[in-house]
Amino acid sequence: MALLKVKFNQKKRVKLAQGLWLMNWFSVFAGILVFSMGLFLKIELRKRSEVMDNSESHFVPNSLILMGILSCAFNGFAGKICYDSLDPAKFVKWKPLLKPYLALCFLFNVLLFFVALICFLMRGSLESTLAQGLKNGMKFYRDTDTPGRCFMKKTIDMLQIEFKCCGNNGFKDWFEIQWISNRYLDFSSKEVKDRIKSNVDGRYLVDGVPFSCCNPSSPRPCIQYQVTNNSAHYSYDYQTEELNLWRRGCREALLHYYSSMMSSMGVVVLLVWLFEMSVMVGLRLLHTSLESIANPEDPECESEGWILENSLKDTFKSALENLKKIGKFNQVEADGEGAGEEGGKTPAITTVS
C-alpha cells in the first residue's frame, strides 16, 4: 500500500504546482537568510580569531554558507520544474531528472538537519578553543614590541571592556602570568629584583590586573594593583568586600555570546529544514501525480500521487534486498577476476632427462 496516497484532478494538480512554485521562492529567501547567518557568524569569529586556538570553530559558519548556497540553487531549480509542470509539453523534458533530483533533495535535507544539530552541539569544542586561545593571548599581552603580537594587548583590553570580563576564568588568572613588559620595569629597583628572583621562571608576577578589568560602575576608584593586600588600601578587605573588577572570566562571556548566537541560528535552520521537507514532500506528490496520469493526451483526467509507492516496511525491505544484490554482484565480479588471473598463469613443467 502506497504511503500518503492522494487523488488529484487537473485543478488540484495546478494548485499544487502553483503553491510549490511560491514555496520554492520562499525557500530561496530562506537560503539567503541561512547564507547571511553563516557570513555574520564567520565575521564575528574572525573578529576574535586571535583568542581562539584553532579554526575548527569555523566549521559551523562554513556549513551554513554552503547550505544557504545549495538551498538557493535547489529551490530555484525546483521552482522552474513546478512552473513548467503546468504545461505537459514542457514537463516532459524534466521527467527523467525528477527522481535523481528528489534523491539529491533528500540528501540535502539530511545535511541541513545535521548542520542544525551541530549549531547546538558545538559548545564543548568552542569552550576548549576559547580556553586555550585566551590563555595564549594573555601570555602575549606584554609583547607590545614583538612583530605579530604587538596587537594582542589592544585585542585583550577591548575584549575585556566590551564583554565586561577579566582573565580567562577570572581576574586571578592575571596573577599567574607576567603581563607587564620588561621595557617598563626598573631593574635597578629592589622590589623588581626581589619579585623576579622569587619566581622560578624569572618572571615579574604581581597581584594586579590590566585597567580593562575595572568596572566603571563601581563607586570606588579602581583597585587594580595589590588586589590581595588589605593594608595597601584604606578601608579595604579583599576577602569580604565586593571588588570593583569584573568577576566573570572572558571564556565564559565569549562562550555564552557565541553559544546563544549559534543556538538561535540552529532554531532558524530547523525551521528552514521543516519548510524544505514540506516542499520536498509536495514535489514528490506532484511528480507521482503527473507520472500516474492514465491518458497523457487527456491532462484533465484524474491521477494518484504518493510519497512512497509501498509502505515504509516494504520500502525498507526492498532497499535491503537491493543492497544485498549489489554486494553479491560485486563479490561475483571479484571472484571472476581472481579466477581469470589464476587461469592466465601457465604452470611450470619440469622435464627430467
Side-chain angles (χ1 to χ4, degrees), residues 177-216:
I177 61 170
Q178 181 181 336
W179 55 273
I180 301 173
S181 174
N182 288 338
R183 180 182 178 183
Y184 304 107
L185 293 177
D186 181 8
F187 286 95
S188 62
S189 168
K190 185 177 182 299
E191 181 193 350
V192 173
K193 287 180 181 178
D194 290 343
R195 280 191 179 276
I196 292 173
K197 285 179 182 178
S198 64
N199 186 263
V200 177
D201 299 323
R203 294 178 298 171
Y204 181 75
L205 303 183
V206 293
D207 56 342
V209 296
F211 78 96
S212 52
C213 282
C214 295
N215 181 358

Side-chain angles (χ1 to χ4, degrees), residues 2-193:
L3 179 67
L4 199 64
K5 185 184 284 188
V6 183
K7 285 189 176 182
F8 289 91
N9 54 29
Q10 172 68 2
K11 190 177 179 181
K12 285 184 177 179
R13 285 194 295 268
V14 168
K15 281 186 176 180
L16 178 61
Q18 289 174 339
L20 284 171
W21 178 82
L22 189 62
M23 289 175 73
N24 274 298
W25 283 110
F26 276 122
S27 293
V28 169
F29 288 117
I32 294 171
L33 176 63
V34 172
F35 176 85
S36 302
M37 289 192 306
L39 197 61
F40 175 75
L41 181 58
K42 193 171 185 68
I43 291 169
E44 286 296 304
L45 288 170
R46 278 191 177 278
K47 280 182 183 177
R48 297 164 189 96
S49 58
E50 296 89 355
V51 293
M52 292 186 177
D53 187 44
N54 54 48
S55 58
E56 286 179 12
S57 53
H58 287 271
F59 176 75
V60 173
N62 290 341
S63 300
L64 289 171
I65 289 169
L66 177 62
M67 288 295 106
I69 294 170
L70 289 177
S71 178
C72 292
F74 275 114
N75 288 292
F77 184 70
K80 175 63 176 170
I81 293 173
C82 293
Y83 182 79
D84 286 350
S85 66
L86 297 171
D87 185 353
K90 290 182 178 180
F91 178 71
V92 172
K93 65 180 179 181
W94 300 115
K95 199 172 180 180
L97 298 174
L98 271 173
K99 275 191 177 179
Y101 174 74
L102 284 166
L104 286 174
C105 280
F106 179 76
L107 181 62
F108 166 74
N109 281 306
V110 170
L111 290 174
L112 190 63
F113 182 73
F114 174 72
V115 170
L117 288 181
I118 289 295
C119 288
F120 295 106
L121 301 176
M122 277 295 289
R123 183 183 174 89
S125 174
L126 186 62
E127 184 171 10
S128 59
T129 297
L130 286 169
Q132 191 59 42
L134 283 165
K135 187 177 180 181
N136 293 334
M138 289 170 65
K139 285 180 182 177
F140 302 143
Y141 181 88
R142 63 174 179 165
D143 297 339
T144 51
D145 298 326
T146 307
R149 298 178 186 171
C150 54
F151 58 86
M152 191 56 73
K153 179 183 180 299
K154 181 182 177 182
T155 300
I156 296 291
D157 282 334
M158 293 303 295
L159 177 71
Q160 293 188 145
I161 291 169
E162 182 181 352
F163 286 90
K164 299 178 180 180
C165 59
C166 186
N168 190 347
N169 299 305
F171 67 89
K172 288 184 180 179
D173 292 337
W174 289 107
F175 299 174
E176 300 170 4
I177 61 170
Q178 181 181 336
W179 55 273
I180 301 173
S181 174
N182 288 338
R183 180 182 178 183
Y184 304 107
L185 293 177
D186 181 8
F187 286 95
S188 62
S189 168
K190 185 177 182 299
E191 181 193 350
V192 173
K193 287 180 181 178

